[in-house]
Amino acid sequence: MTTPTKGRMIRLSDGSAFSSSKDTILEDLEENNVTLEYHCREGFCGACRCKLISGEVDYTIDPLAFIDDDEILPCCTIPLTDIMLDI
């Protein structure tokens, strides 16, 4: 697991952007009032899956939910670089 990298930019396809400051991308989204479905917060259910348009992330735990190559689970990822998401 990679150490969380605070201060990376998280950009959304709607044009909004903010800096990461929490332990997971989902927590950053919540802190910035971005609505995203989720259930387990541990990579089991896949409800929070979204498309990673650009950038790199790392998983804090190995997810069990199925995701496509261009998708991530924000509940258990941290940004390694500035990222752009389609939510």
Side-chain angles (χ1 to χ4, degrees):
M1 181 177 90
T2 305
T3 304
T5 51
K6 310 290 189 205
R8 301 292 187 191
M9 287 303 298
I10 299 173
R11 290 182 169 72
L12 304 181
S13 56
D14 70 0
S16 58
F18 45 87
S19 179
S20 64
S21 65
K22 299 293 181 186
D23 290 331
T24 66
I25 294 171
L26 177 59
E27 291 172 342
D28 287 318
L29 294 170
E30 291 175 324
E31 181 167 282
N32 288 278
N33 300 313
V34 176
T35 303
L36 183 66
E37 289 293 322
Y38 67 89
H39 295 288
C40 70
R41 291 186 176 264
E42 296 177 4
F44 295 131
C45 71
C48 67
R49 100 178 21 101
C50 65
K51 189 169 288 220
L52 178 66
I53 297 172
S54 65
E56 294 180 38
V57 299
D58 193 20
Y59 282 88
T60 59
I61 58 173
D62 289 330
L64 296 177
F66 172 79
I67 55 172
D68 287 331
D69 291 339
D70 62 346
E71 294 178 324
I72 65 165
L73 299 174
C75 70
C76 56
T77 54
I78 56 171
L80 295 178
T81 65
D82 293 347
I83 62 172
M84 179 175 270
L85 303 175
D86 184 13
I87 296 179

